[in-house]
Each structure stands twice: as structure tokens, then as C-alpha cells.
Amino acid sequence: MAIDAAEVDHLAAERASAQFDVEEMKVAWAGSRHAVEVADRMARLVASDPVFRKDNRTMLSRKDLFKDTLRKAAHAWKRIVELRLTEEEANLLRLYVDQPGYVDLHWGMFVPAIKGQGTEEQQQKWLPLAYKFQIIGCYAQTELGHGSNVQGLETTATFDPKTDEFVIHSPTLTSSKWWPGGLGKASTHAVVYARLITEGKDYGIHGFIVQLRSLEDHSPLPGVTLGDIGGKFGSGAYNSMDNGVLRFDHVRIPRDQMLMRLSQVTREGKYVHSDVPKQLLYGTMVFVRQSIVADASKALSRAVCISVRYSAIRKQFGSQVGGPETQVLNYKTQQSRLFPLLASAYAFRFVGDWLKWLYTDVTQKLEAKDFSTLQEVHACTAGLKAVTTSATADAIEECRKLCGGHGYLNSSGLPELFAVYVPACTYEGDNVVLLLQVARILMKTVSQLTSGKQPVGTMAYMGNIQHLLQSKCSVSTAEDWLNPAIIQEAFEARALRMAVNCAQNISQAPNQEDGFFERSPDLLEAAVAHIQLIIVTKFIEKLQQDIPGHGVKAQLQNLCNVYALYILHKHLGDFLATGCITPKQGALANEMLGKLYALVRPNSIALVDAFNYTDHYLASALGRYDGNVYPALYEEAWKDPLNETVVPEGYHEYLRPLLKQQLKLSRL
């Protein structure tokens, strides 16, 4: 069944008329030509393998879905070994398989925890086993009763000097480990976080490597109770992951299975700090959070790609009765909702690339025992995780609504994408809690400004406090808003003034903690303003680099301006209330935004093509590269198990008796 060629010809025409080199934009997006080539190769490898099919995922039962996940993970590992893939290639292959499963936590949390917190001897023992999948690991921190408040965890690890063992125990129902991915059915081992107790004293939360299941028959070891916590939001979505529950009944482990890079317990039971600075743990934290920001740009760009392509295919209404209908993408209301999300995808990609650099930089400084930037690094990584994941979750849902009724179908790819992605707003730190951590650091930085201590890194702008508190925006025309220096100063002034206002209000409270508690909503907004400044700054800095390719830089400049002015428009109240801009300047920014949308529109298809996603990865009838949307929707409908029979199961038991009864009672 083919669609009228006229329906999709304009996609090819738009691609041909793009004002930039799409192949070069792919390089700008991916980071290098090599990265584009590797991604192409891995995407094709996955798409061509029938084991990795995705079209039936939402129709599988939970048991079948989980078994399918195990099958895909095993097959992916087989291909990785057979083809001798590099770490970069293996990571991309797993990305394109696109099914949450135990391997995500094994590689993303279990292995990094041992690397970051284990001694050299522990790493030599455990990492080779993990690298070869001779053990499968998860990260058991969150409990039924505590998540973000790690210090409130209740699981205990009590040292027994008689046997040189730790006794791991769950003393209450709420101490049950709850949510760890891979724990429910797959993992053989876990890094378990528990309260270390020795010589009658509680030394707080520490990590322990604990075997959970037999390596012979996978049955739980004595004293270990564990299972899956049940179905989650969505059809397939994150239900392919075996999030688990775990309880310990006085389970004994050798003393050397405490992760001892930062502190140890001696044979006699003495608690000893090592010479390794505890700040080294920040390296692992930065690594995990930069991965989450990178994932945000992937998920957001995927949703935007689907919505932009479908909006170019879908036609509704027209300027005159009986005349040709209008592409939905040509409506200004569609552009004003969709193009900021397109710009955000690029913005998040580039700030994610910068976080990769930051990880390398902070790791080198930590190894040299330079901890001067740790506070600032903590603030920007926590804040970026919070802002990008919240914005991405909201954006995926907005993209679904931008696709109208068809966006509600599983075959659109958007409901499942949302259901898979939205947990990112909670895991690795609830976003509100993380933003309040950022706010605390902002308040501390403001308090130190009068002492002459200069803030560093992404907080360096706060050192320019005198100018930013008094500066006036110089915009007099809409085009003035295209000046990066003007945009940068407006965002700096807004962030600084909001932080200073919060600090002043807190200082009037009876004590600092009461003030922080009362002003927490304002502090959240100040933290968001600071993080949005970082994202805008890193986009502007990206444009100051040498960007090859015909027209690429000009298009990225448009997207940078769209992102900045959209944020200004969305948070106009902040900019006006702090006196950073005038109402007239706000109106000019909005006027310029409309002009920028007009510049983005002719290039929008090519801009999402630059994400370089295969139809297999998008898994969307609406986001197909060829635009053949309606036949795809029609064909997908017939795949549903409900259509396996013409007359539904249950007809003879329920429908037929009802219909016959109605016929007998009818007076017609």
C-alpha cells in the first residue's frame, strides 16, 4: 500500500533545498566524522538483525517482554565478542538495541562503583569477572523508605571480629532495597549500600559487594529474599527492566568485600580512613551525570525528529474552502511549540559534550589533589541533570501532543519513549532535591563574594557582581537580540540577581535553615536560572569554535538564539522582576523569536536528519524518513493481537447473548 507520491515529495524537496550541508551538520552533532561513521555502522548492524526487532514490544506480556530482553542482551554480547567491537562500538550497539535491561546497570552503575570505590586489589578481583559477564551486577542503594536521603538508609552491615565478616541485615520492612534495575531477576551480585557498624559505633553509609544468587543455578543464596517489584508505567517501555526488591536476613560476607578505597575496617574491627581523598568519588558522580545529560539530548532529539517529520507530512485545513490543505509545520502555533524543542535538543547535546570534557578535567585535578573546583562541578552537574531531564520529559509529551491523535498510538513511538524516559527525573537524584543542592552552593558563593574570594568555572560571572547588579540591557531593536554578548549579559544578570535576592531574604530569617526552608521555591527558580545560563553559555562557546561545513554555523546560530530567546520568553517574569530587561525589550525578544522560527522552518527537516537516526531506532510510523506515514499506521494496526481473529474472543460468551436479548426486547 503506497501513499500518493505528492504527499511525501515535499520532504525530498525540503531536504534538497536545505541551506546547509547535512553531512557536515551530522559531524557537528556527533562530534567528529569518526563518530558519525561508527554510529552509522552500529545502527545498521542492529537494524539488519531480526533478533533486535522492536515492532512487537508493546504487544508482549511482561514475562515475554523480559525474556525478549534477556535474549537481546545475550545476542548483543555475542555480536560484541564475535566482531571484537571496541568499547565505543559496543556502547553504541547497546544504545541502538534500545531496550532497557540489566546490562544498563551492570555497565552504568555496578562497574563504575567498583572502579571508583574499590581498592586496586578489589578491582583486579571483581572487574575482570564483570567485564566478561561471569557475574552480573546491580547497584542496590535506594530503599522502600528512603531514596534521595541516602544518609537515612536503614540496611546495616555489622562487623563480626570473631569470623572476620560483615553481617548484612534488613532490620525493617522499609529497609528493603527497592527499585535497583537488574536486581529483580538477572543480577548475581550487587554493590549494596548499608550503615557500617563496628565496635558498637555507626560510621554511616558504605558500599559492600554482596553475592545474591548462586552461580550454578541462579537461586537466591541463604538469607536473601529478592524479586521484581511489578509492572510500571507504559506498555513495553521500562517494563523490560527487572527493577527489584531485596531483603537480607543476617547474610555474612567476607570483610574484604567492603569497598575499601576510601576507608577500611581492620581485622580487629578498627575503622580507618585511607590516604585517598574522599573527593575522588566526585569523578564517578560526574561520569554518571554527564551520561544522563547525553541521554537527555538523545531522547529529546528522537521525539523532535518524529514530530518534525510528521508535522511536515500532516495537512490540516487551508486558507480557503476547497483549496489545498496546509502542512501542520507551517502553522506558527506549531513552530512556536516545536522549534524551541529542536533548539533544546542541540543545546543539550553541546552542553553534554562539554560535560565530557569536564569529567576529564575534574578527574585530572582530583588525581593531582586539586579540589578547588569541586563545589562548582557538583553544582553544575547536579543542576544540568535536573534541568535537562525535566525539560526532556516535558518535551517528549509536548511532541506527542504536537502529533495530534496519532501521537497517542504506540506505533507513533512517543508514548513508549516518554514512559521509558520519565524515570530519569527521579533516578540518580530527584530533580527538586538536586536543584536545592545547587541553590545551597549558590547561596554559599554569594556569601563569599564580599570576602574577595573569586568564584570559578561556571560561577565566575558572579564575581562581576557590581556590574551585573546595575547593568541595563542595551536592546533597542529586535535584531539586537541576535548579539551573543547581549544575550549572555541578560542571562548572567538574571541569574545573579535572583541568587542575591534569595540570599537577602534568607538573611532576614531567624536562622539560615529556616530561611532556606521558607524560600525554597524561590531558590529552585534561582538554581534553574543559573543552569539555563550555563546551557546558553556553552552553546555560545560552541559557536566560537571552528565549525566546518557550508551553512552549518549559521543554522546553529539560529538554534542558539531560538533556545536563548525561548527561555527568556518562558521566564519573562524573572527578567522583568529583576530589572534585567524592560517590557519593551521583552516584546522585541518575542518579535525576534518569530523571525527566527521563519529561518528555521525551511531547514527543519534537514536539521532533524542530522541526528542520523534510523527508522529502526526511531521505531515510529510517524517519524519515517520516507514520510510514508499513513500506510505504516495502517499496517501496524493489523499487527495487534486483537486483530488475530475477525470475531473477537468472548463474542459467544458475552456479545452474542447481549445482542440477542436486545433484539427480543426491542419494540422497533
Side-chain angles (χ1 to χ4, degrees):
M1 178 180 176
I3 196 169
D4 187 340
E7 290 292 310
V8 294
D9 273 354
H10 54 262
L11 281 190
E14 288 190 22
R15 288 179 174 124
S17 63
Q19 298 163 343
F20 63 94
D21 187 326
V22 178
E23 293 304 315
E24 292 295 342
M25 185 66 83
K26 288 180 182 178
V27 174
W29 171 264
S32 69
R33 199 168 302 280
H34 167 76
V36 174
E37 292 169 353
V38 174
D40 273 342
R41 195 163 62 251
M42 292 302 104
R44 287 197 302 270
L45 179 64
V46 171
S48 63
D49 194 323
V51 174
F52 296 132
R53 67 173 292 196
K54 298 163 61 176
D55 59 321
N56 64 339
R57 192 166 65 184
T58 61
M59 304 170 199
L60 298 175
S61 69
R62 179 83 200 285
K63 281 187 175 181
D64 288 341
L65 178 65
F66 181 68
K67 188 174 181 180
D68 181 60
T69 306
L70 297 182
R71 176 175 175 240
K72 286 177 178 174
H75 188 64
W77 180 245
K78 179 172 177 283
R79 299 301 284 148
I80 288 167
V81 173
E82 287 174 346
L83 299 173
R84 298 183 180 180
L85 299 186
T86 65
E87 185 176 350
E88 177 191 17
E89 291 169 331
N91 287 338
L92 280 168
L93 184 141
R94 284 191 285 265
L95 167 72
Y96 291 125
V97 169
D98 189 38
Q99 190 149 312
Y102 68 88
V103 293
D104 302 345
L105 283 302
H106 177 85
W107 293 115
M109 297 299 295
F110 181 72
V111 168
I114 295 173
K115 280 184 176 179
Q117 299 170 45
T119 62
E120 287 188 17
E121 292 78 11
Q122 288 175 322
Q123 291 181 38
Q124 288 170 6
K125 175 181 178 179
W126 295 102
L127 290 179
L129 298 173
Y131 286 151
K132 295 176 183 177
F133 269 127
Q134 292 174 325
I135 61 173
I136 296 170
C138 65
Y139 186 87
Q141 178 173 293
T142 299
E143 295 178 355
L144 188 57
H146 288 91
S148 295
N149 181 17
V150 177
Q151 297 310 311
L153 297 179
E154 300 176 82
T155 304
T156 56
T158 306
F159 183 64
D160 181 355
K162 296 177 182 176
T163 60
D164 196 27
E165 294 172 318
F166 282 103
V167 181
I168 312 294
H169 185 58
S170 307
T172 63
L173 178 66
T174 50
S175 69
S176 305
K177 295 299 179 184
W178 190 272
W179 275 117
L183 168 64
K185 295 295 176 183
S187 294
T188 62
H189 289 69
V191 170
V192 174
Y193 288 87
R195 313 194 72 82
L196 191 160
I197 299 170
T198 184
E199 296 185 322
K201 185 175 179 181
D202 185 335
Y203 286 92
I205 306 303
H206 290 70
F208 301 83
I209 300 174
V210 184
Q211 184 172 347
L212 308 175
R213 292 180 168 98
S214 163
L215 293 177
E216 295 302 319
D217 61 8
H218 209 62
S219 59
L221 295 185
V224 176
T225 301
L226 74 174
D228 187 273
I229 61 172
K232 300 171 286 283
F233 182 56
S235 300
Y238 221 78
N239 286 298
S240 56
M241 179 72 78
D242 53 327
N243 297 92
V245 53
L246 168 66
R247 297 198 72 185
F248 296 104
D249 183 5
H250 299 92
V251 173
R252 290 178 173 269
I253 63 169
R255 177 173 55 90
D256 64 5
Q257 286 181 214
M258 168 189 169
L259 291 173
M260 293 192 179
R261 187 178 185 191
L262 302 181
S263 55
Q264 299 90 37
V265 170
T266 67
R267 177 65 184 83
E268 295 73 32
K270 300 292 182 185
Y271 182 82
V272 182
H273 284 291
S274 73
D275 295 332
V276 178
K278 65 178 182 179
Q279 291 92 335
L280 284 175
L281 288 180
Y282 276 82
T284 303
M285 177 201 72
V286 175
F287 171 77
V288 172
R289 288 181 178 162
Q290 66 91 12
S291 299
I292 292 174
V293 174
D295 289 343
S297 75
K298 292 186 187 84
L300 176 51
S301 57
R302 189 169 163 181
V304 167
C305 184
I306 293 168
S307 193
V308 166
R309 286 178 178 170
Y310 177 64
S311 296
I313 290 295
R314 185 71 168 181
K315 292 180 179 180
Q316 292 279 65
F317 307 111
S319 57
Q320 54 187 350
V321 177
E325 290 191 296
T326 302
Q327 287 171 271
V328 171
L329 194 53
N330 285 338
Y331 286 107
K332 299 300 181 182
T333 49
Q334 193 82 349
Q335 294 175 13
S336 66
R337 294 164 66 193
L338 185 50
F339 290 167
L341 307 184
L342 172 59
S344 298
Y346 276 89
F348 294 174
R349 175 72 190 203
F350 296 143
V351 80
D353 289 343
W354 170 74
L355 272 184
K356 289 180 184 177
W357 169 85
L358 183 68
Y359 169 65
T360 303
D361 180 69
V362 75
T363 301
Q364 291 172 349
K365 286 179 177 175
L366 289 174
E367 289 172 354
K369 297 189 177 180
D370 176 0
F371 310 132
S372 60
T373 62
L374 271 189
Q375 178 176 268
E376 180 263 337
V377 165
H378 175 61
C380 74
T381 54
L384 282 168
K385 184 272 177 186
V387 168
T388 59
T389 55
S390 291
T392 296
D394 291 344
I396 296 170
E397 170 61 7
E398 184 72 358
C399 284
R400 184 194 65 77
K401 290 186 284 190
L402 284 164
C403 291
H406 293 333
Y408 194 62
L409 286 168
N410 278 338
S411 57
S412 76
L414 292 166
E416 291 303 287
L417 179 58
F418 178 77
V420 166
Y421 187 75
V422 75
C425 296
T426 307
Y427 61 59
E428 287 313 295
D430 176 85
N431 286 353
V432 169
V433 174
L434 291 180
L435 286 171
L436 288 174
Q437 291 177 11
V438 175
R440 284 194 181 276
I441 296 171
L442 288 175
M443 293 304 96
K444 183 177 179 180
T445 304
V446 169
S447 71
Q448 293 173 338
L449 291 175
T450 54
S451 67
K453 183 177 180 180
Q454 286 298 306
V456 297
T458 55
M459 291 189 173
Y461 72 97
M462 300 183 86
N464 197 20
I465 183 170
Q466 296 303 324
H467 171 72
L468 291 175
L469 286 178
Q470 300 170 7
S471 65
K472 300 291 183 183
C473 182
S474 59
V475 166
S476 58
T477 69
E479 282 65 29
D480 288 340
W481 277 116
L482 300 180
N483 185 331
I486 288 177
I487 290 174
Q488 180 97 20
E489 183 162 304
F491 273 77
E492 287 179 352
R494 169 213 180 200
L496 179 71
R497 293 178 193 188
M498 290 178 73
V500 168
N501 286 345
C502 285
Q504 290 173 342
N505 289 330
I506 289 173
S507 69
Q508 296 170 9
N511 60 68
Q512 190 175 32
E513 280 307 306
D514 284 351
F516 196 92
F517 182 81
E518 288 298 324
R519 294 291 173 177
S520 53
D522 297 336
L523 287 161
L524 278 178
E525 293 180 4
V528 169
H530 172 69
I531 299 303
Q532 288 171 339
L533 164 63
I534 293 175
I535 297 171
V536 168
T537 299
K538 297 309 168 187
F539 208 149
I540 290 173
E541 289 178 359
K542 173 72 176 181
L543 293 168
Q544 293 168 348
Q545 299 172 9
D546 180 29
I547 301 176
H550 170 69
V552 170
K553 189 167 187 175
Q555 296 308 315
L556 291 179
Q557 183 71 65
N558 288 338
L559 292 174
C560 179
N561 291 332
V562 166
Y563 179 77
L565 296 185
Y566 165 72
I567 295 298
L568 188 150
H569 173 69
K570 186 178 179 182
H571 297 274
L572 186 58
D574 292 347
F575 288 89
L576 294 177
T578 52
C580 298
I581 64 173
T582 65
K584 173 64 175 175
Q585 290 168 334
L588 289 172
N590 204 37
E591 178 186 333
M592 191 65 240
L593 201 49
K595 293 178 179 179
L596 286 165
Y597 294 154
L599 294 176
V600 171
R601 171 62 190 95
N603 299 284
S604 54
I605 297 298
L607 283 167
V608 299
D609 285 350
F611 300 147
N612 205 24
Y613 295 147
T614 62
D615 284 347
H616 181 273
Y617 181 60
L618 286 179
S620 170
L622 305 187
R624 292 170 59 104
Y625 183 85
D626 63 10
N628 226 9
V629 168
Y630 301 120
L633 285 171
Y634 189 81
E635 290 164 13
E636 287 298 317
W638 292 107
K639 293 179 183 178
D640 194 282
L642 206 55
N643 285 323
E644 288 177 357
T645 59
V646 176
V647 176
E649 294 179 15
Y651 166 75
H652 291 286
E653 297 94 326
Y654 308 112
L655 277 181
R656 180 179 170 82
L658 181 65
L659 290 167
K660 293 299 181 183
Q661 175 184 304
Q662 286 178 333
L663 286 172
K664 290 176 183 176
L665 296 178
S666 173
R667 295 181 181 180
L668 295 179

